Amino acid sequence: MTGIVSVQNLRKTYPGGLHALKGINLEIEEGEILALLGPNGAGKTTLISTICGISKITEGKITVGGMDIVTEYRKARSMIGLVPQEITLEPFETVINSVRFSRGLFGKPKNEAYLDQVLESLSLLDKKDARVITLSGGMKRRVLIAKALSHEPRVLFLDEPTAGVDVELRKDMWNTVRKLKQQGVTIILTTHYIEEAEAIADRIGVINGGEILLVEDKNALMARMGKKKIRIDLMEAANKIPNKLKSYDLDLAKDGKALTYTYDTKSERTGITGLLNDLQAAGMQMRDVQTQQSSLEDIFVGLVQESST
Amino acid sequence: MNFQGVRAIYTFEMARFFRTLLQSFLSPVISTSLYFVVFGTALASRIETVDGIEYAAFIVPGLIMLTVMTQSIANASFGIYFPKFIGTVYELFSAPVNFLEIVVGYVGAAATKSLIIGLIILATAFLFVDLDIQHPMAMLCFLVLTCLSFSLLGFIIGIWAGNFEQLNLVPLLVVTPLVFLGGSFYSISMLPQIWQTVSLFNPVVYLISGFRWAFFGQADVSIGLSLGAIGLFTLGCMTFIWWIFKTGWRIRS
Ligand SMILES: Nc1ncnc2c1ncn2[C@@H]1O[C@H](COP(=O)(O)OP(=O)(O)OP(=O)(O)O)[C@@H](O)[C@H]1O
Ligand SMILES: [Mg+2]
């Protein structure tokens, strides 16, 4: 089974000789939200641009909805909507004309009712006849989304849709994305914000140096990382863990001066309060307490560092 | 063929034209009127006739050609350069349109604009001189062909240009001299023999001469040669655009 978007052994070398993508394999399932995480220069935009036909394939094969993006580019591209990373819009044109242009360009007949609906869903209806230049940055980004949705795509690429967008608007954007998913649109978004991936993605992919390091179901990933640790520094070194505390998942440091408690953030009770009480009852005095979170961020940073060395 | 796509490009480009309606029409009309005043009136007292044609009338075809050529290049080069400059060109490349459709949309719109301007200048000319166009259909054909071929050339310049200076460089250094030296305001036969020979290497001479023939039924070079020249020129531009299309030159990395 190939996904709605299938990338096979994709290599991309820019004219200067830079290898931006080094053999990418990626299957995107219909109807899912896939978040691509990666540091600056990882190749996220290059990957998206290549799938969308903006940059040429050096080697490999890409299909969208089963259509090869080179030989059947018309069918493939008409299924794709793209919101680019940079805000690029005709400044003097009105919002509605920019959106109409996109719809026409993708070969779709006029449908004003549909376009109004798209603008409405992005809270842009009142700006319909405003010139693009008079809009705020966040509004412009939504116009870009409206343009990408104007031709009823099955797959939507959002390249850092929330970069430079305030918290409020970011939440709105997430809701918009969720709504689109409900309508059956497959969504691929890139982001630098791990919370964003956590908040809306079904699967998470990590890319660095032109290679995909991991693509995994978000929940599985979170479960793997949903553990937190507390490090308790003791006033006086202990030689063993007291019996009273045996029920906790504790590790004693070699020098006996610190305890590490691992717990599941997802469970109802973390047991922290109990542990702290029991520690006191056992007569151990605490010098300091630190929590260490193994979050998506840790895994991400770990992966990226590993791949860079 | 993605007709909707072509139409979208065409209407979007025409909208740009109508948005700046006043400036689009007014500047060519004013500059042409000035040419009429300066050349038609001032010089006409010195040069009464050229090849038996009243001088003020004689310059009309050249003036229209001059404006149409420069406007075609300006419109078409800007039309494709601007999206490149502001970055909206990504949309063209990600859309299910091929290069031919992009060319038809942009060049079609640019040619339409300069055709409209050409016709307006012709109308303005009637205010200054009595004109009796001998071959109206041929005149229109020549006008349309010139609009198209120079819009194609403008499109190439717009693709090639990497900045605004380059965008103006070719028109300034190549096209304007060729057009001015192409016999807009004089007959080639008025030049010394050596310059007459040199002029024959200027493609614009054939266009202006052919256009003038359509007006007055007489010309510097034969009408067949003129048609051949404009045909060759159009073909050259189309071949070059086809090559751009094949290689992705200056477009897609
Ligand atoms: N047009 C280009 N020509 C040459 N090199 C390029 C071009 N575009 C990108 N690159 C290079 O390719 C690599 C990947 O860039 P890309 O834009 O895909 O990264 P990214 O993951 O989107 O980064 P960011 O998070 O900063 O947007 C970088 O090293 C970049 O310098
Ligand atoms: Mg990017």
Side-chain angles (χ1 to χ4, degrees):
Chain A
M1 248 305 281
T2 52
I4 181 135
V5 178
S6 165
V7 180
Q8 291 151 35
N9 299 316
L10 176 66
R11 290 179 182 279
K12 169 71 194 181
T13 307
Y14 278 112
L18 186 120
H19 300 291
L21 299 175
K22 302 166 185 164
I24 301 268
N25 284 292
L26 183 62
E27 296 290 326
I28 297 163
E29 304 302 325
E30 173 132 42
E32 75 169 334
I33 300 179
L34 175 74
L36 282 176
L37 286 165
N40 287 136
K44 303 180 295 294
T45 301
T46 305
L47 176 59
I48 289 182
S49 305
T50 314
I51 298 173
C52 295
I54 295 167
S55 116
K56 276 197 226 161
I57 298 179
T58 307
E59 205 185 303
K61 184 178 152 95
I62 302 171
T63 62
V64 176
M67 303 291 166
D68 187 293
I69 64 152
V70 179
T71 55
E72 290 169 292
Y73 71 95
R74 280 194 204 269
K75 284 183 189 151
R77 289 183 193 171
S78 53
M79 287 183 252
I80 303 176
L82 166 65
V83 179
Q85 181 172 358
E86 313 281 340
I87 295 182
T88 49
L89 286 164
E90 278 269 342
F92 305 112
E93 198 42 89
T94 60
V95 170
I96 185 67
N97 277 342
S98 299
V99 178
R100 279 187 191 129
F101 173 71
S102 300
R103 186 175 170 87
L105 201 60
F106 278 75
K108 287 271 158 56
K110 280 204 165 85
N111 186 343
E112 293 296 303
Y114 174 75
L115 294 186
D116 277 356
Q117 194 186 315
V118 168
L119 290 180
E120 171 87 72
S121 74
L122 293 162
S123 325
L124 280 172
L125 202 52
D126 55 330
K127 295 288 177 188
K128 186 177 170 178
D129 296 307
R131 284 184 181 209
V132 168
I133 199 167
T134 64
L135 303 183
S136 76
M139 290 175 191
K140 284 185 194 145
R141 201 167 277 283
R142 280 179 282 157
V143 174
L144 281 179
I145 299 179
K147 280 165 74 76
L149 292 175
S150 68
H151 59 276
E152 301 160 59
R154 280 172 66 192
V155 185
L156 180 67
F157 288 90
L158 294 158
D159 199 351
E160 296 190 28
T162 56
V165 164
D166 68 35
V167 182
E168 190 92 347
L169 198 58
R170 183 169 302 165
K171 296 268 158 66
D172 280 356
M173 205 84 93
W174 293 351
N175 285 330
T176 309
V177 169
R178 289 193 192 102
K179 244 189 279 169
L180 286 169
K181 178 193 153 86
Q182 276 167 17
Q183 292 162 18
V185 181
T186 308
I187 293 152
I188 297 95
L189 61 93
T190 72
T191 179
H192 289 282
Y193 304 109
I194 290 162
E195 323 85 84
E196 184 156 289
E198 283 187 35
I200 52 173
D202 297 313
R203 282 202 303 161
I204 289 171
V206 178
I207 176 169
N208 188 36
E211 286 169 303
I212 296 222
L213 306 179
L214 158 158
V215 184
E216 208 173 310
D217 181 73
K218 181 185 66 182
N219 293 328
L221 202 60
M222 296 306 289
R224 230 172 75 197
M225 298 180 294
K227 303 262 188 208
K228 258 190 167 178
K229 286 180 178 171
I230 287 189
R231 190 185 136 105
I232 302 156
D233 289 325
L234 302 170
M235 294 292 275
E236 280 157 37
N239 41 24
K240 68 178 187 57
I241 298 169
N243 280 341
K244 267 192 172 175
L245 303 176
K246 277 275 150 65
S247 60
Y248 298 98
D249 181 4
L250 285 173
D251 277 316
L252 188 64
K254 282 219 179 70
D255 62 359
K257 281 196 164 168
L259 283 168
T260 310
Y261 172 54
T262 310
Y263 63 97
D264 193 344
T265 52
K266 291 278 182 320
S267 67
E268 282 279 293
R269 305 184 143 268
T270 57
I272 298 171
T273 331
L275 173 67
L276 296 183
N277 286 334
D278 289 348
L279 269 175
Q280 214 151 24
M284 298 173 107
Q285 291 203 7
M286 292 171 273
R287 182 204 296 279
D288 196 6
V289 179
Q290 297 169 21
T291 60
Q292 295 169 348
Q293 183 169 24
S294 87
S295 63
L296 198 50
E297 188 127 14
D298 285 345
I299 291 255
F300 173 68
V301 170
L303 274 171
V304 166
Q305 273 170 359
E306 221 172 276
S307 77
S308 308
T309 49
Chain B
M1 185 91 188
N2 179 353
F3 286 107
Q4 295 286 354
V6 175
R7 199 174 77 178
I9 296 174
Y10 185 86
T11 35
F12 198 72
E13 282 304 297
M14 290 309 284
R16 191 202 304 288
F17 180 62
F18 288 115
R19 216 166 33 224
T20 53
L21 197 61
L22 209 60
Q23 168 189 342
S24 305
F25 289 130
L26 216 57
S27 73
V29 169
I30 288 182
S31 56
T32 314
S33 304
L34 286 175
Y35 279 124
F36 270 121
V37 172
V38 174
F39 289 96
T41 319
L43 283 182
S45 54
R46 300 277 176 127
I47 318 165
E48 275 171 11
T49 60
V50 179
D51 301 340
I53 303 157
E54 185 197 339
Y55 185 68
F58 176 84
I59 62 168
V60 171
L63 266 180
I64 294 174
M65 275 293 186
L66 179 71
T67 315
V68 158
M69 286 170 185
T70 45
Q71 285 288 319
S72 295
I73 288 178
N75 285 330
S77 62
F78 185 79
I80 189 66
Y81 178 75
F82 192 60
K84 260 182 25 173
F85 179 69
I86 60 172
T88 52
V89 75
Y90 82 87
E91 212 180 359
L92 291 178
F93 298 147
S94 64
V97 289
N98 65 24
F99 196 68
L100 182 72
E101 288 151 2
I102 295 177
V103 172
V104 172
Y106 279 100
V107 169
T112 309
K113 295 175 200 177
S114 40
L115 182 65
I116 294 174
I117 291 170
L119 293 175
I120 288 179
I121 293 174
L122 182 61
T124 316
F126 276 106
L127 300 178
F128 290 90
V129 285
D130 286 332
L131 277 174
D132 181 21
I133 302 168
Q134 303 270 311
H135 308 280
M137 281 320 287
M139 190 276 298
L140 211 61
C141 280
F142 252 103
L143 195 60
V144 170
L145 270 175
T146 309
C147 291
L148 274 177
S149 56
F150 274 74
S151 294
L152 284 170
L153 179 63
F155 187 84
I156 295 172
I157 295 171
I159 293 272
W160 165 79
N163 53 46
F164 273 104
E165 270 155 39
Q166 289 181 344
L167 194 65
N168 294 323
L169 205 67
V170 177
L172 188 73
L173 291 187
V174 183
V175 181
T176 311
L178 283 185
V179 171
F180 267 90
L181 301 176
S184 306
F185 302 112
Y186 55 86
S187 163
I188 302 297
S189 58
M190 292 159 80
L191 298 173
Q193 188 56 46
I194 170 91
W195 289 110
Q196 285 194 31
T197 315
V198 170
S199 292
L200 292 181
F201 289 97
N202 180 355
V204 177
V205 166
Y206 298 89
L207 305 186
I208 293 181
S209 169
F211 197 48
R212 196 168 278 144
W213 172 85
F215 274 80
F216 308 117
Q218 58 187 64
D220 289 336
V221 294
S222 81
I223 178 69
L225 246 150
S226 292
L227 278 173
I230 193 163
L232 211 67
F233 181 65
T234 313
L235 207 68
C237 290
M238 289 209 277
T239 312
F240 196 74
I241 285 182
W242 177 81
W243 176 80
I244 294 176
F245 176 41
K246 277 282 155 216
T247 59
W249 179 72
R250 295 252 180 180
I251 310 180
R252 228 175 279 227
S253 55

